[in-house]
Amino acid sequence: MIKRDFLKISMLAYLKFFSLVIFLSIPSLLMAQVFYKYDNDIRVTGLSQNEYLQPWAGGINSPQFQKADLNNNGTDELVIYERSTDVFKVYEYREGRYIFNAEMASIIPSLPMGWVVFVDYNGDGLKDIFTNGDRGMMVYKNISQPNTNARWEKIADPLLSQSTTTMINIIGNLNDIPAITDVDGDGDLDILVYNFAIGGFIRYHKNLSMERYGNRDALEFEFANRFWGGFEECDCFAYTFLPETCADIGFDFGRVEHPGGKSILLLDANGNGLMDFLGGHEQCNELYFLENEGTSEMAIMKSFSWDFPNAKDPAIIKTFPAGYYEDIDRDGRKDLLVAPNIEFNPAYETDFANSSWYYRDTGTGNAPDFSLVKRNFLQDEMIDLGENAMPVIIDLNGNGKSDLLVSSNGWNSDGRFYGRLVWFENTGTLQQPALTLRDENFLEASSLRLVNPRISFADINNDGRADLIFSGFSFDSGTMKHYVYYQGNHTLKYNEDQKASLNLPVQFNDTPAFADVDGDGNPDLLVGKRDGSLYYYRNAGNGFFNLVTRSYLGIGRDFSLTRLNLSPSVSDFNSDGKLDLFTTDASGYITLIRDFTALSEEERPIRDSLIFYNNTIKQAEAFKMGMYSWLSLGYLYNDNFPVMVAGNAAGGINVMRFDTERNPVSGQVFITRLYPNPVEIHDKLILEVNLPAEGVIYTVLGQKIRDNLSFNRNTLNEIEIGGFDAGVYLLRIHSNAGSKTLKFIVRQ
């Protein structure tokens, strides 16, 4: 079974806090700030001409659904903890629908990776937070004041329970989802967790607040039952009921272990006032339902079924389904949501583009009656390409407008989701771009049967044209494969006939980026590694690259484990003619090193942090893109600064624009666009500039063949090329803000 080569989740969970501390404590002399802002104004249309309601919401893979009033306006928001990226996604409920708000997640305190439950334990109407911690379960009390954003204070770390002899930690494994609800019907919230060691039995920690004080304010628990419900989970489709155990039916685990994550949801499924059990397992595809045939004080289960909530549409999701119980349609009856509770995609068999199942309670009595509404709740409103969306802004059809090409795991073939390329054509204007989905399997890249794909562009064969490089892991050969699609003479510049194998030093889960690092005119290779280091390879010609250093710019192996899974991206973010280096890593934050190719080996690079002004919390903060993200910059608008798009492990994309209001910008920046390139001999070149300019055309040998060219700002300046021979030419243009040399190719 092939998996992402991530560190253990527990390791990242422990280090998440320290990563944040290190990021925020970098001395200001070494960390400047560059303001960007979220851009949700670019409209996106799908294949069926339907417009995405909120295309840039960022994708969903493994959502844990909660509801809480984060801004204390009297209406609960839908709060999703997205486990695959370790970020919170918040949706406001307005005008009958859920609206994504990227800023509101900052209201939630920094929490460890794993699971989170929002629940009002003390009955004050404010949702408190229960989550996993290093030593056991942690509790954050909601201490919000009226007319302010919610605030929480940690009051238990760990939460304790009285056993027969001593106080013990209540432990909910970070891969589990416990039940924190009123199990016995006395008004306070009890806790059910699986045995943290062997996993098959459920432990019942009874809350004694009502018994002792007559209210819900206290968090005083006793370890009341080691075998709640009187059953043991043995395996998929295998439960036993006391006095029989798993060992009696041939399951002898042999040693103490926790065999996979487990989820618990309690709900009264038949309206008799007793809490029934609905659970999932990390190694199973089904939700298992066990009816409570006992009492509220002593639950007794005697049988199980696996086709809940009904035989027509059972909640069967490939790998570890978990259930959530919230009133989604706001009709006063709680609905059922089901989603996989996995960080990554084992064997790439889970459909992460349809992983948010919504069952509406259409019942009228005490018992719920769940009816499946959709398998892509919220996902159908956004760009969600499955898993691992890596975007590139590139003009694919040579019309002078930048399109969006995205690689992702998301093409279903025989039950496995392979890497593919998805093309969104820019059908808008230079003033207001708009994207239209043109091809969900561009170049039929899925036929290569690669997973965890990476995409980049570089002139591999040195013909002056950007070639498309597609890399991924091959299930068939068990090795990494790299392919290059060379540009051709077609309307779309790439096709299957121009594909060739490429020998790149890029391993599983590495991220490549091409840039002319040594200034010789050829693209060199930067590789972000899983261990946090940045490798630099010099272009040796003929598609070969020689290793120069394993710690370029001093970015070596990360022994602190705070910036694993490094992902580089190269662009001229401020259009000053110099290459800038962007990086993301497991911390989720974005850093920028300006003009990085000019740095000597002895110079310590100055890192800029990318931040935005959060109007919800009224302060600037760093972008948190998630544990695994990939950046691309390019011009979608006709302005001075490129747009940044960020893809993530959840298969979604965010868009950010340079914030000209908050960034100190000195002087004017010279922007140019030259297309089509290459240009046919019978066509005309088009040059767009944002400032008046003059130009001269030379051959690559320096022979001047046309001069005294004049170009107007913000217009389509046509350049006649009649009489030119086929070949490569240089257009040197000058404005008051500087000069640029643009290379173009003329073809017969």
Side-chain angles (χ1 to χ4, degrees):
M1 180 180 293
I2 303 301
K3 297 184 179 181
R4 295 187 200 146
D5 189 12
F6 297 152
L7 288 183
K8 292 292 185 180
I9 302 174
S10 57
M11 180 72 73
L12 283 176
Y14 297 155
L15 292 165
K16 176 180 176 183
F17 171 75
F18 297 104
S19 172
L20 179 63
V21 170
I22 290 173
F23 173 81
L24 295 177
S25 62
I26 295 175
S28 59
L29 291 178
L30 297 179
M31 177 76 79
Q33 295 178 335
V34 180
F35 277 91
Y36 274 74
K37 58 185 178 181
Y38 285 106
D39 180 13
N40 296 311
D41 295 333
I42 300 177
R43 300 170 60 182
V44 181
T45 302
L47 286 176
S48 59
Q49 302 303 310
N50 60 303
E51 185 174 324
Y52 293 93
L53 294 177
Q54 37 195 351
W56 311 112
I60 292 174
N61 277 0
S62 304
Q64 296 179 12
F65 295 97
Q66 317 282 333
K67 284 174 67 176
D69 188 0
L70 299 183
N71 56 9
N72 282 327
N73 66 351
T75 301
D76 280 351
E77 283 73 47
L78 180 62
V79 180
I80 294 175
Y81 173 64
E82 174 51 55
R83 189 178 172 195
S84 71
T85 55
D86 188 33
V87 297
F88 283 94
K89 304 169 71 69
V90 180
Y91 289 80
E92 296 181 273
Y93 191 74
R94 300 199 306 263
E95 299 178 359
R97 56 183 290 258
Y98 290 96
I99 309 296
F100 177 62
N101 187 321
E103 297 182 348
M104 291 189 71
S106 299
I107 299 174
I108 303 169
S110 180
L111 301 173
M113 181 188 303
W115 57 266
V116 61
V117 174
F118 285 80
V119 63
D120 177 13
Y121 82 84
N122 57 3
D124 63 357
L126 304 175
K127 292 290 183 71
D128 310 295
I129 297 175
F130 289 68
T131 187
N132 58 279
D134 297 347
R135 298 178 296 161
M137 195 172 292
M138 299 191 301
V139 181
Y140 290 76
K141 182 180 180 180
N142 193 322
I143 57 172
S144 303
Q145 299 298 316
N147 303 315
T148 63
N149 290 331
R151 291 178 58 234
W152 287 269
E153 175 185 51
K154 186 191 293 186
I155 61 169
D157 183 12
L159 187 60
L160 301 176
S161 182
Q162 178 68 55
S163 70
T164 54
T165 58
T166 186
M167 300 297 291
I168 62 174
N169 300 8
I170 302 178
I171 298 177
N173 289 288
L174 63 87
N175 291 332
D176 292 354
I177 298 180
I180 304 173
T181 188
D182 185 3
V183 175
D184 55 12
D186 66 354
D188 52 24
L189 298 186
D190 311 297
I191 297 176
L192 296 183
V193 292
Y194 270 99
N195 184 309
F196 67 90
I198 61 174
F201 294 107
I202 293 179
R203 294 181 167 188
Y204 171 34
H205 295 275
K206 176 178 171 59
N207 193 330
L208 301 177
S209 183
M210 291 299 296
E211 286 82 356
R212 291 178 176 175
Y213 310 108
N215 58 56
R216 296 170 52 177
D217 288 351
L219 289 172
E220 298 182 9
F221 295 88
E222 69 171 359
F223 186 11
N225 194 333
R226 296 177 181 272
F227 312 110
W228 181 86
F231 67 89
E232 183 181 8
E233 180 193 46
C234 309
D235 200 352
C236 305
F237 299 101
Y239 285 81
T240 61
F241 303 92
L242 294 180
E244 189 177 55
T245 67
C246 293
D248 296 326
I249 60 172
F251 288 92
D252 185 3
F253 297 114
R255 61 185 176 89
V256 176
E257 63 179 351
H258 180 68
K262 303 170 189 294
S263 67
I264 305 174
L265 174 63
L266 296 190
L267 73 165
D268 181 5
N270 49 22
N272 64 356
L274 300 179
M275 285 295 192
D276 306 305
F277 170 89
L278 188 65
H281 189 291
E282 187 173 341
Q283 299 169 352
C284 308
N285 303 332
E286 303 79 20
L287 275 179
Y288 297 95
F289 174 72
L290 283 72
E291 181 183 357
N292 186 352
E293 299 183 33
T295 66
S296 58
E297 287 289 343
M298 183 60 68
I300 299 176
M301 280 67 173
K302 299 180 180 179
S303 63
F304 74 94
S305 61
W306 55 268
D307 57 354
F308 190 87
N310 55 65
K312 177 184 177 183
D313 296 304
I316 299 177
I317 293 181
K318 191 70 176 181
T319 313
F320 198 4
Y324 307 91
Y325 201 33
E326 297 287 355
D327 182 6
I328 295 300
D329 58 2
R330 312 272 171 154
D331 66 351
R333 299 179 68 92
K334 286 189 175 183
D335 308 299
L336 177 67
L337 295 153
V338 182
N341 186 44
I342 50 179
E343 184 203 346
F344 56 91
N345 200 344
Y348 299 94
E349 294 177 339
T350 300
D351 184 1
F352 271 148
N354 296 277
S355 59
S356 179
W357 291 27
Y358 167 34
Y359 293 86
R360 182 172 179 264
D361 182 3
T362 59
T364 57
N366 294 330
D369 183 6
F370 297 117
S371 177
L372 181 64
V373 177
K374 60 178 65 176
R375 292 180 170 88
N376 56 355
F377 173 59
L378 297 178
Q379 294 173 296
D380 59 344
E381 300 183 5
M382 66 182 75
I383 294 176
D384 190 329
L385 302 179
E387 181 186 25
N388 293 349
M390 184 176 181
V392 175
I393 298 176
I394 186 78
D395 181 7
L396 273 181
N397 51 11
N399 66 356
K401 294 185 294 186
S402 295
D403 309 308
L404 184 65
L405 189 67
V406 189
S407 64
S408 74
N409 283 333
W411 190 262
N412 187 0
S413 178
D414 299 325
R416 178 167 286 136
F417 290 85
Y418 289 101
R420 55 161 171 181
L421 293 170
V422 182
W423 173 35
F424 294 89
E425 181 188 7
N426 188 346
T427 53
T429 66
L430 294 177
Q431 287 69 37
Q432 182 56 59
L435 299 178
T436 299
L437 178 58
R438 290 302 189 203
D439 196 336
E440 292 184 299
N441 193 15
F442 184 62
L443 298 175
E444 296 186 357
S446 68
S447 64
L448 298 174
R449 296 173 64 84
L450 305 180
V451 297
N452 207 24
R454 301 289 189 263
I455 180 179
S456 49
F457 285 84
D459 182 7
I460 296 298
N461 58 358
N462 201 30
D463 65 353
R465 292 170 283 186
D467 307 307
L468 187 159
I469 299 97
F470 185 77
S471 303
F473 183 85
S474 169
F475 268 99
D476 298 332
S477 66
T479 61
M480 287 293 294
K481 296 287 186 179
H482 313 280
Y483 295 93
V484 56
Y485 294 84
Y486 296 109
Q487 281 197 34
N489 299 319
H490 303 274
T491 303
L492 291 178
K493 300 178 183 180
Y494 309 91
N495 64 26
E496 177 70 20
D497 297 335
Q498 297 150 341
K499 183 186 69 180
S501 294
L502 195 63
N503 183 25
L504 290 181
V506 178
Q507 304 303 316
F508 186 61
N509 273 341
D510 289 350
T511 298
F514 291 89
D516 184 8
V517 176
D518 58 9
D520 66 354
N522 298 316
D524 304 303
L525 176 62
L526 299 176
V527 180
K529 307 292 286 186
R530 289 165 288 177
D531 64 7
S533 57
L534 182 63
Y535 283 27
Y536 164 38
Y537 296 84
R538 182 175 288 122
N539 192 328
N542 298 318
F544 290 92
F545 297 84
N546 295 329
L547 179 64
V548 177
T549 176
R550 292 181 172 86
S551 56
Y552 182 58
L553 301 176
I555 304 175
R557 183 177 179 181
D558 177 32
F559 291 98
S560 70
L561 306 180
T562 58
R563 53 173 177 79
L564 302 173
N565 298 299
L566 187 74
S567 175
S569 178
V570 177
S571 177
D572 180 6
F573 92 100
N574 55 1
S575 301
D576 63 357
K578 302 172 183 178
L579 291 179
D580 308 301
L581 175 66
F582 292 84
T583 64
T584 60
D585 53 47
S587 72
Y589 298 111
I590 306 171
T591 61
L592 163 67
I593 300 176
R594 305 177 191 237
D595 192 15
F596 73 97
T597 62
L599 297 173
S600 67
E601 292 185 7
E602 295 76 21
E603 289 183 274
R604 185 180 180 185
I606 298 176
R607 289 180 171 87
D608 294 337
S609 62
L610 265 64
I611 62 176
F612 73 103
Y613 186 79
N614 190 322
N615 288 285
T616 298
I617 62 174
K618 307 301 181 185
Q619 67 183 46
E621 66 172 4
F623 286 97
K624 184 69 181 295
M625 308 313 301
M627 291 191 301
Y628 314 99
S629 57
W630 302 271
L631 303 177
S632 177
L633 282 84
Y635 290 97
L636 290 175
Y637 294 93
N638 186 25
D639 58 15
N640 290 345
F641 298 95
V643 167
M644 177 184 295
V645 292
N648 58 54
I653 299 174
N654 298 114
V655 181
M656 291 86 76
R657 292 185 70 181
F658 190 80
D659 192 339
T660 56
E661 296 180 2
R662 290 187 167 84
N663 284 297
V665 179
S666 58
Q668 290 181 302
V669 180
F670 188 30
I671 306 298
T672 62
R673 295 181 185 175
L674 184 68
Y675 61 91
N677 190 10
V679 59
E680 305 295 334
I681 194 69
H682 54 78
D683 288 338
K684 296 179 181 179
L685 270 175
I686 304 296
L687 176 69
E688 295 184 49
V689 291
N690 66 322
L691 300 171
E694 298 176 347
V696 180
I697 297 178
Y698 297 86
T699 67
V700 291
L701 299 178
Q703 178 185 4
K704 183 189 298 184
I705 60 174
R706 186 168 298 175
D707 59 6
N708 297 321
L709 298 174
S710 180
F711 306 112
N712 297 319
R713 66 186 297 268
N714 297 331
T715 61
L716 303 181
N717 296 281
E718 296 184 348
I719 304 175
E720 297 283 351
I721 58 171
F724 282 38
D725 294 328
V728 180
Y729 296 86
L730 302 176
L731 170 61
R732 295 179 180 171
I733 51 179
H734 175 76
S735 73
N736 292 333
S739 301
K740 287 190 177 184
T741 299
L742 307 176
K743 181 167 64 175
F744 66 93
I745 299 172
V746 175
R747 296 189 298 206
Q748 294 288 354

